Amino acid sequence: MIIVGMRARLRSAEYSKGLRRFAIFQLDDRRKFRAQELARLMKAGKIAVSGFHDVGGDYVRSDNDDSLANNLLQSFKDNETREVVVKNL
């Protein structure tokens, strides 16, 4: 449960080749979130991830800049998720 808003940095992300999107995000404090849940918490103001923003509370996207650290595909695309993920309805 997250009662007060928190700031975090992205530690890693897991990519789903089947869905062609990122499915799992891990923050620097090692908490793991499904992409939709992290986006929802970001939209609600409960979690702020530096360098990233939510899009409609549905998914997470890197802020528009030239920093390689914020490019999810270049940084984590080879990190295939092992968790079962399903498409949003």
Side-chain angles (χ1 to χ4, degrees):
M1 180 184 292
I2 299 173
I3 297 171
V4 245
M6 61 181 266
R7 293 194 58 77
R9 293 180 50 91
L10 187 66
R11 178 182 177 87
S12 69
E14 297 175 17
Y15 188 76
S16 170
K17 289 181 182 173
L19 296 176
R20 295 179 48 206
R21 65 178 172 85
F22 285 91
I24 307 291
F25 291 98
Q26 185 177 34
L27 303 180
D28 56 358
D29 63 1
R30 299 198 185 263
R31 292 183 206 199
K32 282 182 136 181
F33 295 93
R34 295 199 181 275
Q36 300 87 349
E37 183 64 10
L38 181 57
R40 186 185 68 77
L41 289 168
M42 290 172 74
K43 182 178 182 179
K46 296 295 184 182
I47 299 178
V49 180
S50 58
F52 299 89
H53 62 276
D54 75 282
V55 178
D58 294 324
Y59 58 95
V60 176
R61 178 176 281 167
S62 61
D63 292 343
N64 189 16
D65 64 22
D66 293 328
S67 172
L68 179 62
N70 288 349
N71 189 315
L72 290 172
L73 283 174
Q74 288 181 351
S75 298
F76 300 114
K77 188 170 182 181
D78 293 332
N79 191 17
E80 174 76 17
T81 188
R82 295 182 191 181
E83 297 203 27
V84 176
V85 292
V86 295
K87 195 172 196 171
N88 281 0
L89 298 175

